[in-house]
C-alpha cells in the first residue's frame, strides 16, 4: 500500500499536465506560456504537457483579466479539472487586473473568481518565471496528495 | 439531414485566444459558422478618460502583446501629428527598426502556430526557436521580451549603440539562414501543400468587398500596404508590398514568409541609413482636435481615431484593428471546408482577438 | 519456448512498451532540438493518472475503458501463446470498438467526432492488417504464429510490400502524424483529444495501459517479420519504430478522407501485388 | 508544382545530432542582459518622496505618503514599464535585472524612510 | 416420425384457418400455441440422431401440390393483370407454361418425398423457435400498430394467418425432397411475402409488395428454367438423388446456376436486393420473419442443398466472388443509411452475401462457416429486428439519429440492442466465429479475401456506430426501467440469452450436426475439417479457442461491470464544451446567441460518396458482371 502511494506520489511530482486558459489577456503572457513549452525552455523536461482539456489537467494556468463574459467560463473550466489541482495566475493582469484594473469591463484578477495557488507577476513574466511557477506548483501538488486531498 | 453542432472555443487547444465559433457540421463539412466574441473585451478605449495621454501609451501597448510596439507607434505618431511635434530622425529610424522586429516576431510566431494548426509539431518548434533570437534582441535592446515599452511621445526611450547594431545584423544573418533552411519545407512538402492549398479561398474582389486587410488582402493579389503611407522612416526606405495570387491559406503563408525577408531587408536599410542625433524631444502641452492615423501591423492595417479637447485626457480613442476587418472574410471562408481545416483557415488570417475586442 | 517463459515475457511486455514509449518521447524531443522528458515519463504519467480523481461524464465510459483493457490484455496474452493471428486480430478489435463506444456514449461533440474518426481509422487499417495476416498464411500455410517461428528465412523477404502496409497501420495505431487523426498525442487538435477527451483520471490511465497492450500486438507483428533471429527481430522493431518517429516529425496531420482513400486504394493495391507474388511465386 | 521528398528530414536529423537548443533553466541560469527591467527596487534612504513615480505610473501601483515617509508598492499591479524609473529625480528607483519570482500570496511592499524636511519646516 | 412431419405442416395450417375464422381478440394465442407445438417438434427432431431420414407420408400429396401450384401461379397472374404489371405477367405466364410442360414431362417421382438430414434439422429448429418469439412479440406490436396507423382495411387476423402459412411453407420447403414441391413451397414464401409487405395497404406498401412479387417471380422462373434443364440432363426430381448421382458437366452447371440464381434472388443478393429493402415498409414482425429465419434463408438453404454438386469448379469460385462482392458493396451502402431498418436490411443482405461466399468457397471449413453464420445470423437479426420494432413504436421513428441516447428513455431495450449489435461483430460470439472461419477458409482466393477483409471492416463501422448511439446518461436524474408488455419483453430477453449463450453451444452444434453433414459428402469435402479440442475449433491452419475466449469474455464483462457499479457511486459531471456556460439541468450549454443548445452530434453518412447514384450504378453493373461470370462459370 505504501509502495503504491509512493508510486502515485512520484507520478504526481513528475507529470504535471497543464491547461492554459487565456482569460482576456493581451497575448503577451500567452505567447510566453507557449514559449515555455517550446524547445528553448522545454517544460516537457519536467513532464509538462499542454493538454488543452480540463479533464486531463493538473495545473490550471490562467493569464489575463477576468471580464463579465469569461468569468463563467473560467469557473466552468476550474470545476472540470479533477483533483488534485493547482491554479497558477500568470501576469499582472491575472493577478489584479494590472493596467486594466479600472477598465469598464474588467472585474479584476483571477482570484476574484477562483482560488489561486500561485501568483506569477510580470508583464509579461519571463518564461523562466513561468517555469519557476510550474516547479513550485509541483510541490504544491505533492503537498495536496500527501495531505490526502485526493 | 442530420447535423452536428460544435462549440469551437472559447477555450480550445487550437485557439490561442478565447474566440467562439458555433460550427454546424455535416460529415465534417462546415455548413455554417457563427462567431461569438466578447471574451477578451476590456473596454480599454474608455481608459483614455482616466489615464493621461502619456500613460495611454502603456495601455495601447497592451491592446495586443504581439504587436504592442506598433500600436504604440501608431498612437504616438497620431498624437504627435495632432500636436505638430517633429520627432527627431534618429527616433523615427529606431521606431522603424523596432516595429519591423516586432513584425518578424509576429510572423514567426504565426508561422509556428500555423504549422501547429495542421499538426506539424516539429516545424512549429523550429519557428519558435528562430523567434527566440528576436526576443533576445528585444530584451537586450529594450529591456523586455514582448512588450518593449520604448515609445514615448516625441521619440523613443532607448538608443541603439553601435555594438548593438552590429549584433542585430549578425543575428539577422543567422535568422535569414535558418529561414532559408525551411523554405523547401514550407513550399515543397507534400503534406503541407495538401493541408493548405485551396483551403479558405478568397478572391481579390471578395477580399476587397469584405474589407480584408494586410496579408489576407495581399495574398489575394492586391498590393496594398500601409507602410506605403510613409510614416516613421518608411519614406526613406525602399520596399515593395509582398503579394501572392491564389488567395488561399498557402498563399497567406507565402506572403508572411516573404515579408520576413522584407523586414530583414528593411531593418538592414534602416541600420545603414540611421542618422546620429537626439532620440527624443520634449513634448509640452496637450493635443486638441481630431485625427486619424493608420499604420501597417503584422496582421494588416490598424486605424486609430483620436478626439482631444486640449486637456490631458483624450475625449475619445477608437482603435480598429486588422483582425476586426478580417473577420467577415473569415466567416465566409469557413463555410464549406472540412472540420480539420477549420484551425488552418482560422489561423490563416492570423486572428488577434485581444486586438479585436480591446 | 516453455510456458513459464512465455508468461514471464507477457508480464514484462507492458514495461517494455512503457520504456519504448519513453524512448519515443525522448527521441522526438531530440529531433525537435530539445531535451525532453525522462525515459520513464510514460510510467509517471500513468501513475499520476491512476491517482487522480476521475470525472465521469457518462458511466458507460468506465465500463468501456475496462473492457478495452481486458480486450487488449487478452490480445497480448494470445500473442504470447502464439495463437491464431486472425483470432488475435479480432480480439484486438474488441478493445478498439469499446474505446469508440465509450467515446460515443458521452454527449460531447469532440469525443463523438473523435469516435467517428476512430472508426474510419479502424476501417482504414483493418483490411490492411487482414491482408498482412493472409500474406503470412500464404507463406507459412498456417495462421498460427508458432508456424512462423519454424521458417528458416525472414518473412520480410517474401512480404516486403505487406511490411510497408503494416507500417502504415502502425502509424495509425501509434497515433502518429500524418495519421494522428482521431486523437493526437500533442494537444493542439481541432477535436481537443478526440476519443480520449472525456476519459479522465484513472479511466485515462486504463485506456493508456490498454493502448500499451495493443502495441504489444502490433510491435509483435512487426517482430514476426524477422522471426528466425531474435536479434534481427529486435533490430527490425526498433528500426521501424525509429522510422515512425522520423515520419511523425516531418509530416503534417492529414485528414481522414485522405487516409481512407489511400488506405483503400494504394494500400489494397500494394497488398494485392504482394499477395499475387506469393500466389504465383 | 513539384514536391520534394520530406524536405524537413535534414533539419530534423541535424537537430538530433547537434547541440540541443534548450536552455536548461533551473540548473543553468543565463546571465540577464544589463538593460532588462526586472524587480523594482527603491533605495529608500535616497528617496525624497516627491511622488513623481506615483504620478507617472500608468497602473497606479505606487502610493506615497509624504508626511509619514512611506513608499508603498504593489508588485502585483506593476507592469514593469519603467516609467517611474525614468521619472525619478534622484534616481533612487531602479529595475534590477532579476525577474520577479512567483509567490504564494499577493504581498505589498512598504518602505519607510525619512522624508526630506520642507523649507517651511526648516524655518 | 410421420406424425412429427404431419404436425409440422398441418398445425400451422390449421391454426391459420382458425385465426382466419375466429375474431382476433379470441384467437390471439392460437398462433402461439401452434408454434409452441411446432417448436417442440422441431426440437425433438433436432435431438434425434439415428433415424430414418428419408420417408414418405402415408398418402401421396403430389397431385394436391400440383393443383395448388397452378392456382398459385394463376393468382399471381391475376395480381399482375390487376396492377397492369407487365414483368409479373410475363414471369408468371412463362412459369405457368414451363410448369405445365414439366408436369406433363415428368414421369417419375422420388422414392421419398421427404428427406430430413442434419441441415434440415438445424433449419427446422431455428425457423420454428425464432418464429415463435417473433409471433409472441407481434401480438402487442400488431395491436399497437393498428391503433397507431388507424388501419381500417386490414385485419390482424389476416396478418397472423399469413404468418402462419409462411411458417408452414418454410417447414415444407425444408423437409421436402421433391424438386417441384420445393418450387411450390418456394412460391408459397413468395405469396406470403407479397401479402405481408402489402399488409398496410398504403401506396408505398402496395408498390413495394409488387416489387417483391416481381423479383420473386423472376426467381421462380429461374428455378423452373433450372429444373427443366436439369431434368433433361438427369431425369429425376429427387433432390437427394440429383445431388449424389448427377453427372456434373458444363451444361448441367449452367442449369444449376439458374437454380442458384433463384436462391440468390430469394436471398436478395445484388442486383436483386431491391425487394428486401422495399420490404421494410411492412410491420416489423414481417421484416423480422423475412430477414432472420425464413424467406432469405430459403435461398441459402437451396444453395446449401446443391453445394456438393459444384465443389471445386470455376462456377463455385464465381459464386463466392459474387457473394463476396455483395458482402462488401451492401456493407458500403449501409453506411449511408440513417433509417435503422434499412441498415438492418443492408446488413442482412451483406451477411447473406458472406454466407454465399462461404458456400462458393466450398471447402469443409467454409461450409461449416456458412452453417454457423446462418444459424447465428437468424437469432441475432431476429433480436435486432424485434428491438427496433419495440423502439420504433415507442419513439415513433425509425431514424437512427432519433435513437441517440435511447438509454435514458428505454434502458433495457437499448442495452439489448447494443449487445445485439456487439454480438454481430465481436468475438467470441457466433457471427464472428463464422466470419473468422470464412476469412481463414477463403485465404486461398486473394480477391475474395480482400473483399471479405474490406467488407468486414465496413461492417464493424456501421455496427459500432449503431451500438454507440444508444448509450448516454441523464444528468442528475435517475433512469427508470421502461414499462412494456411482458409479451414484448420476454422474446427480447430470451433471444438476447440465445445470442449470448448459443455460441458456447456451437462446438456441440458442430460436432452433432455439421460434422456429420460434411462427412456425408466426404468424397468432395475432404481436407481440413475442423476438430474440436478442448472447446476450440482447430484445423491444420488455425484455431479458435472458443471456451477460453468465452470465459475470458465473461470475466472481462464482470470486471467492467464491477467498475461500472463503482463509478455509479459518484455523481455525473458535465462533458467538455470548450468551457462554455453550462446549462445546469442537462448536458447542454448556452451559445453566444443566448440560445440553449443541447449538443447534437450525428453520424457521418458520407452521402456525397454513398448516395452518389454513380456508385449505386457501378455496384449494379459490377454485380451484373459477376452474375454473368457466374452463369458462364460452368463453361470451361
Amino acid at each position: 500500500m505504501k509502495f503504491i502511494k509512493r508510486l502515485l506520489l512520484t507520478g504526481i511530482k513528475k507529470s504535471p499536465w497543464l491547461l492554459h486558459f487565456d482569460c482576456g489577456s493581451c497575448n503577451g503572457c500567452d505567447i510566453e506560456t507557449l514559449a515555455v513549452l517550446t524547445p528553448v525552455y522545454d517544460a516537457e523536461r519536467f513532464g509538462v504537457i499542454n493538454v488543452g482539456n480540463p479533464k486531463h489537467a493538473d495545473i490550471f494556468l490562467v493569464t489575463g483579466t477576468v471580464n463579465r463574459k469569461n468569468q463563467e467560463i473560467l469557473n466552468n473550466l476550474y470545476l472540470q479539472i479533477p483533483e488534485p489541482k493547482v491554479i497558477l495566475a500568470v501576469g499582472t493582469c491575472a493577478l489584479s487586473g494590472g493596467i486594466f484594473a479600472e477598465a469598464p469591463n474588467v472585474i479584476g484578477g483571477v482570484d476574484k473568481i477562483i482560488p489561486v495557488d500561485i501568483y506569477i507577476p510580470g508583464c509579461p513574466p519571463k518564461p523562466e518565471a513561468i517555469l519557476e511557477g510550474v516547479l513550485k506548483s509541483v510541490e504544491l501538488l505533492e503537498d495536496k496528495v500527501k495531505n490526502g486531498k485526493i | 439531414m442530420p447535423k452536428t453542432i460544435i462549440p469551437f472555443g472559447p477555450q480550445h487547444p487550437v485557439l490561442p485566444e478565447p474566440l467562439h465559433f458555433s460550427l454546424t457540421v455535416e460529415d465534417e463539412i462546415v455548413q455554417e459558422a457563427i462567431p461569438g466574441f466578447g471574451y477578451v473585451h476590456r473596454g480599454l478605449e474608455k481608459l483614455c478618460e482616466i489615464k493621461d495621454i502619456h500613460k495611454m501609451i502603456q495601455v495601447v501597448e497592451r491592446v495586443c502583446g504581439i504587436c504592442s510596439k506598433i500600436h504604440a507607434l501608431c498612437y504616438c505618431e497620431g498624437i504627435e501629428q495632432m500636436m505638430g511635434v517633429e520627432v527627431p530622425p534618429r527616433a523615427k529610424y529606431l521606431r522603424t527598426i523596432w516595429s519591423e522586429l516586432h513584425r518578424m516576431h509576429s510572423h514567426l510566431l504565426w508561422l509556428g502556430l500555423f504549422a501547429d494548426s495542421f499538426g506539424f509539431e516539429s516545424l512549429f518548434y523550429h519557428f519558435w526557436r528562430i523567434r527566440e533570437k528576436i526576443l533576445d534582441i528585444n530584451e537586450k535592446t529594450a529591456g523586455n521580451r514582448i512588450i518593449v515599452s520604448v515609445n514615448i511621445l516625441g521619440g523613443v526611450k532607448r538608443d541603439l549603440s553601435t555594438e548593438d547594431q552590429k549584433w542585430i545584423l549578425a543575428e539577422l544573418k543567422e535568422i535569414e539562414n535558418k529561414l532559408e533552411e525551411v523554405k523547401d519545407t514550407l513550399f515543397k512538402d507534400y503534406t503541407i501543400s495538401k493541408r493548405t492549398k485551396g483551403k479558405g479561398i478568397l478572391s481579390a474582389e471578395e477580399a476587397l468587398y469584405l474589407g480584408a486587410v494586410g496579408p489576407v488582402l495581399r495574398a489575394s493579389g492586391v498590393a496594398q500596404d500601409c507602410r506605403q503611407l510613409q510614416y516613421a522612416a518608411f519614406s526613406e526606405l525602399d520596399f515593395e508590398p509582398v503579394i501572392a495570387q491564389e488567395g488561399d491559406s498557402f498563399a497567406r503563408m507565402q506572403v508572411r514568409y516573404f515579408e520576413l525577408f522584407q523586414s530583414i531587408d528593411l531593418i538592414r536599410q534602416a541600420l545603414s541609413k540611421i542618422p546620429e542625433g537626439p532620440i527624443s524631444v520634449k513634448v509640452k502641452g496637450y493635443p486638441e482636435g481630431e485625427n486619424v492615423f493608420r499604420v501597417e501591423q503584422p496582421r494588416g492595417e490598424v486605424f486609430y481615431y483620436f478626439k482631444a479637447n486640449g486637456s490631458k485626457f483624450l475625449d475619445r480613442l477608437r482603435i480598429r484593428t486588422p483582425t476586426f476587418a478580417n473577420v467577415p472574410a473569415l466567416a465566409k471562408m469557413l463555410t464549406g471546408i472540412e472540420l480539420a481545416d477549420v484551425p488552418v483557415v482560422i489561423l490563416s488570417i492570423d486572428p488577434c482577438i485581444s486586438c479585436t475586442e480591446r | 519456448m516453455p510456458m513459464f517463459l512465455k508468461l514471464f515475457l507477457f508480464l514484462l511486455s507492458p514495461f517494455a512498451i512503457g520504456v519504448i514509449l519513453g524512448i519515443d518521447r525522448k527521441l522526438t524531443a531530440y529531433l525537435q532540438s530539445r531535451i525532453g522528458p525522462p525515459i520513464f515519463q510514460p510510467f509517471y504519467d500513468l501513475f499520476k493518472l491512476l491517482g487522480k480523481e476521475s470525472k465521469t461524464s457518462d458511466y458507460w465510459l468506465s465500463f468501456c475503458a475496462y473492457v478495452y483493457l481486458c480486450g487488449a490484455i487478452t490480445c497480448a496474452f494470445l500473442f504470447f501463446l502464439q495463437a491464431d493471428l486472425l483470432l488475435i486480430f479480432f480480439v484486438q478489435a474488441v478493445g478498439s470498438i469499446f474505446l469508440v463506444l465509450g467515446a460515443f456514449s458521452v454527449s460531447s461533440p469532440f469525443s463523438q467526432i473523435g469516435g467517428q474518426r476512430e472508426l474510419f481509422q479502424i476501417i482504414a487499417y483493418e483490411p490492411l492488417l487482414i491482408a498482412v495476416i493472409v500474406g503470412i498464411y500464404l507463406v507459412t500455410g498456417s495462421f498460427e504464429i508458432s508456424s512462423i517461428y519454424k521458417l528458416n528465412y525472414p518473412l520480410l523477404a517474401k512480404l516486403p510490400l505487406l511490411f510497408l502496409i503494416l507500417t502504415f497501420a502502425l502509424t495509425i495505431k501509434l497515433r502518429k502524424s500524418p495519421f494522428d487523426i482521431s486523437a493526437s498525442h500533442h494537444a493542439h487538435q481541432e477535436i481537443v483529444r478526440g476519443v480520449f477527451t472525456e476519459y479522465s483520471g484513472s479511466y485515462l490511465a486504463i485506456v493508456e495501459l490498454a493502448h500499451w497492450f495493443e502495441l504489444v500486438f502490433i510491435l509483435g507483428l512487426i517482430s514476426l517479420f524477422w522471426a528466425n533471429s531474435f536479434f534481427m527481430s529486435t533490430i527490425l522493431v526498433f528500426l521501424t519504430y525509429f522510422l515512425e518517429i522520423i515520419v511523425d516529425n516531418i509530416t503534417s496531420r492529414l485528414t481522414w478522407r485522405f487516409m481512407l482513400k489511400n488506405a483503400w486504394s494504394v494500400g489494397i493495391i500494394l497488398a494485392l501485388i504482394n499477395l499475387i507474388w506469393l500466389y504465383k511465386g | 508544382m513539384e514536391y520534394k521528398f520530406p524536405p524537413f528530414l535534414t533539419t530534423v536529423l541535424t537537430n538530433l545530432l547537434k547541440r540541443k537548443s534548450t536552455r536548461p533553466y533551473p540548473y543553468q541560469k543565463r546571465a540577464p542582459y544589463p538593460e532588462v527591467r526586472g524587480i523594482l527596487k527603491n533605495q529608500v534612504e535616497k528617496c525624497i518622496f516627491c511622488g513623481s513615480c506615483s504620478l507617472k505610473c500608468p497602473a497606479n501601483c505606487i502610493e506615497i505618503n509624504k508626511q509619514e515617509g512611506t513608499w508603498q508598492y504593489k508588485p502585483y499591479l506593476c507592469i514593469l514599464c519603467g516609467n517611474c524609473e525614468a521619472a525619478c529625480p534622484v534616481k533612487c528607483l531602479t529595475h534590477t535585472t532579476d525577474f520577479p519570482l512567483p509567490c504564494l500570496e499577493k504581498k505589498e511592499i512598504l518602505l519607510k524612510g525619512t522624508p526630506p524636511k520642507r523649507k517651511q519646516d526648516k524655518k | 416420425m410421420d406424425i412429427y412431419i404431419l404436425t409440422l405442416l398441418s398445425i400451422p395450417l390449421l391454426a391459420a384457418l382458425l385465426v382466419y375464422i375466429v375474431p382476433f381478440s379470441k384467437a390471439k394465442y392460437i398462433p402461439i400455441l401452434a408454434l409452441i407445438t411446432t417448436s417442440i417438434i422441431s426440437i425433438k427432431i433436432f435431438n434425434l440422431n439415428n433415424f430414418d431420414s428419408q420417408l414418405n407420408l402415408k398418402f401421396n400429396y403430389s397431385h394436391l401440390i400440383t393443383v395448388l401450384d397452378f392456382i398459385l401461379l394463376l393468382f399471381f397472374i391475376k395480381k399482375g393483370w390487376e396492377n397492369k404489371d407487365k414483368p409479373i405477367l410475363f414471369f408468371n405466364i412463362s412459369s405457368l407454361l414451363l410448369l405445365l410442360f414439366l408436369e406433363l414431362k415428368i414421369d417419375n417421382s422420388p422414392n421419398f418425398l421427404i428427406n430430413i438430414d442434419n441441415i434440415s434439422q438445424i433449419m427446422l429448429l431455428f425457423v420454428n423457435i425464432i418464429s415463435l418469439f417473433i409471433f409472441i412479440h407481434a401480438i402487442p406490436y400488431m395491436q399497437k400498430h393498428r391503433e397507431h396507423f388507424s388501419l381500417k382495411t386490414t385485419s390482424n387476423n389476416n396478418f397472423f394467418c399469413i404468418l402462419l402459412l409462411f411458417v408452414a411453407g418454410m417447414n415444407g420447403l425444408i423437409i421436402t425432397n421433391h424438386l417441384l414441391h420445393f418450387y411450390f413451397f418456394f412460391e408459397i414464401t413468395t405469396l406470403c411475402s407479397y401479402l405481408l409487405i402489402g399488409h398496410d395497404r398504403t401506396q408505398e406498401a402496395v408498390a413495394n409488395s409488387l416489387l417483391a412479387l416481381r423479383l420473386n417471380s423472376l426467381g421462380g422462373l429461374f428455378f423452373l428454367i433450372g429444373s427443366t434443364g436439369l431434368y433433361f440432363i438427369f431425369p429425376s426430381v429427387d433432390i437427394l438423388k440429383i445431388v449424389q448421382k448427377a453427372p456434373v458437366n458444363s451444361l448441367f452447371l449452367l442449369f444449376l446456376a439458374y437454380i442458384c440464381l433463384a436462391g440468390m434472388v430469394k436471398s436478395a443478393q445484388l442486383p436483386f436486393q431491391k425487394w428486401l429493402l422495399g420490404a421494410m415498409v411492412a410491420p416489423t414482425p414481417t421484416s423480422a420473419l423475412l430477414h432472420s429465419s425464413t424467406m432469405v434463408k430459403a435461398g441459402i438453404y437451396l444453395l446449401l442443398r446443391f453445394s456438393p454438386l459444384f465443389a471445386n469448379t470455376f462456377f463455385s469460385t464465381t459464386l463466392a466472388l459474387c457473394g463476396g462482392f455483395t458482402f462488401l458493396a451492401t456493407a458500403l451502402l449501409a453506411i449511408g443509411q440513417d433509417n435503422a431498418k434499412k441498415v438492418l436490411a443492408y446488413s442482412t443482405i451483406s451477411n447473406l452475401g458472406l454466407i454465399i461466399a462461404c458456400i462458393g468457397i466450398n471447402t469443409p471449413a467454409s461450409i461449416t462457416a456458412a452453417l454457423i453464420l446462418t444459424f447465428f445470423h437468424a437469432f441475432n437479426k431476429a433480436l435486432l429486428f424485434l428491438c427496433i420494432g419495440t423502439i420504433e413504436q415507442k419513439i415513433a421513428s425509425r431514424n437512427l439519429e432519433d435513437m441517440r441516447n435511447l438509454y435514458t428513455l428505454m434502458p433495457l431495450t437499448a442495452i439489448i440492442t447494443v449487445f445485439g449489435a456487439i454480438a454481430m461483430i465481436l468475438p467470441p460470439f457466433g457471427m464472428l466465429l463464422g466470419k473468422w472461419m470464412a476469412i481463414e477458409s477463403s485465404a486461398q482466393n486473394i480477391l475474395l479475401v480482400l473483399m471479405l477483409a474490406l467488407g468486414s471492416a465496413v461492417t464493424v463501422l456501421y455496427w459500432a456506430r449503431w451500438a454507440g448511439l444508444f448509450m448516454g446518461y441523464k444528468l442528475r436524474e435517475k433512469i427508470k426501467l421502461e414499462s412494456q408488455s411482458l409479451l414484448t419483453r420476454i422474446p427480447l430477453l430470451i433471444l438476447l440469452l440465445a445470442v449470448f449463450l448459443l455460441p458456447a453451444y456451437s462446438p456441440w452444434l458442430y460436432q452433432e450436426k455439421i460434422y456429420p453433414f460434411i462427412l456425408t459428402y466426404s468424397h468432395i469435402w475432404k481436407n481440413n475439417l475442423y476438430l474440436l479440442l478442448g472447446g476450440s475449433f482447430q484445423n491444420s491452419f488455425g484455431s479458435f479457442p472458443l471456451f477460453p475466449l468465452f470465459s475470458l469474455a465473461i470475466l472481462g464483462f464482470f470486471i467492467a461491470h464491477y467498475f461500472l457499479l463503482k463509478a455509479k457511486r459518484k455523481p455525473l459531471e458535465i462533458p467538455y464544451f470548450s468551457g462554455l456556460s453550462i446549462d445546469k439541468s442537462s448536458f447542454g450549454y448556452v451559445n453566444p446567441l443566448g440560445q440553449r443548445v443541447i449538443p447534437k452530434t450525428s453520424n457521418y453518412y458520407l452521402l456525397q460518396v454513398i448516395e452518389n447514384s454513380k456508385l449505386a450504378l457501378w455496384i449494379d453493373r459490377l454485380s451484373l458482371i459477376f452474375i454473368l461470370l457466374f452463369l458462364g462459370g460452368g463453361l470451361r
Side-chain angles (χ1 to χ4, degrees), chain B residues 183-311:
Chain B
K183 193 174 174 183
D184 271 358
T185 312
L186 282 179
F187 298 118
K188 293 201 171 149
D189 188 272
Y190 177 71
T191 51
I192 293 181
S193 308
K194 199 86 202 157
R195 287 304 304 277
T196 54
K197 276 194 178 164
K199 303 290 156 74
I201 298 177
L202 200 68
S203 68
E205 294 80 47
E206 280 172 336
L208 284 170
Y209 176 70
L210 294 168
V213 293
V216 179
L217 185 61
R218 289 199 286 278
S220 295
V222 182
Q224 196 196 68
D225 192 327
C226 276
R227 283 175 289 178
Q228 290 167 316
L229 294 172
Q230 310 197 322
Y231 58 90
F234 286 109
S235 52
E236 290 151 50
L237 303 176
D238 184 28
F239 73 100
E240 279 289 315
V242 180
I243 56 165
Q245 298 300 335
E246 291 83 4
D248 56 3
S249 303
F250 188 78
R252 277 164 227 146
M253 177 174 79
Q254 213 172 336
V255 166
R256 292 202 175 93
Y257 177 75
F258 287 114
E259 276 188 7
L260 281 169
F261 290 95
Q262 187 193 36
S263 293
I264 292 175
D265 184 47
L266 281 170
I267 294 170
R268 280 188 187 140
Q269 283 186 38
L271 283 175
S272 65
K273 287 185 186 166
I274 189 164
E276 291 295 324
I279 56 165
S280 64
V281 291
K282 205 121 179 99
V283 176
K284 283 196 172 147
Y286 297 108
E288 193 163 8
E290 281 179 295
N291 193 17
V292 162
F293 205 82
R294 295 190 291 160
V295 302
E296 182 76 6
Q297 266 193 358
R299 292 163 181 79
E301 166 199 314
V302 67
F303 166 109
Y304 269 65
Y305 165 78
F306 310 89
K307 185 166 180 243
N309 55 6
S311 76

Side-chain angles (χ1 to χ4, degrees), chain E residues 224-409:
Chain E
L224 279 180
I225 295 173
S227 34
T228 319
L230 287 192
Y231 189 78
F232 275 99
I233 296 165
F234 185 75
S236 165
V237 285
D238 188 333
I239 297 177
L240 197 64
K241 204 167 153 196
I242 296 173
V243 173
Q244 280 172 347
K245 301 220 170 91
V248 179
N249 55 32
S250 45
L251 203 59
F252 185 85
L253 275 180
L254 176 67
F255 289 112
L256 196 61
Y258 272 105
I259 291 199
C260 290
L261 213 50
M264 284 170 72
V265 174
K266 198 106 299 196
S267 296
Q269 293 297 289
L270 284 177
F272 311 112
Q273 83 283 22
K274 293 237 165 53
W275 74 265
L276 193 59
L277 299 173
M280 287 302 136
V281 297
T284 304
T286 312
S287 326
L289 206 60
L290 290 184
H291 278 252
S292 61
S293 53
T294 53
M295 185 88 163
V296 294
K297 293 287 151 60
I300 297 292
Y301 179 70
L302 178 63
L303 287 171
L304 261 176
R305 278 252 153 246
F306 287 100
S307 58
L309 269 179
F310 50 80
N312 305 321
T313 57
F314 179 62
F315 167 67
S316 184
T317 317
T318 44
L319 180 68
L321 283 178
C322 224
F325 181 72
T326 307
F327 178 52
L328 171 58
T330 43
L332 276 176
L333 290 175
I335 298 180
Q337 294 303 326
D338 59 354
N339 182 330
K341 279 181 86 176
K342 281 243 168 98
V343 175
L344 284 179
Y346 274 120
S347 148
T348 303
I349 303 170
S350 169
N351 279 307
L352 292 173
L354 180 61
I355 295 170
I356 288 180
C358 289
I359 295 171
I361 299 160
N362 231 327
T363 60
S366 78
I367 294 292
T368 314
L371 280 165
I372 284 193
L373 280 171
T374 316
F375 186 73
F376 288 111
H377 179 254
F379 281 96
N380 222 327
K381 263 300 148 56
L383 172 67
L384 283 169
F385 265 108
L386 296 193
C387 286
I388 284 301
T390 318
I391 293 166
E392 180 200 342
Q393 283 201 327
K394 179 102 178 178
I395 65 171
S397 166
R398 289 174 176 180
N399 196 314
L400 269 178
E401 295 302 328
D402 296 336
M403 296 178 197
R404 220 160 254 287
N405 298 341
L406 195 77
Y407 181 78
T408 51
L409 191 64

Side-chain angles (χ1 to χ4, degrees), chain B residues 51 55 58 142 158 184 187, chain D residues 1 4 35 37 58 83:
Chain B
K51 302 213 186 268
K55 289 183 184 174
Q58 265 68 46
R158 303 206 178 196
D184 271 358
F187 298 118
Chain D
M1 181 77 194
K4 258 193 176 173
E35 301 279 314
R37 291 192 298 273
N83 280 4

Side-chain angles (χ1 to χ4, degrees), chain E residues 126 130 132 348 525 549 610:
Chain E
F126 73 72
I130 289 175
L132 168 67
T348 303
W525 294 327
L549 272 187
I610 305 281

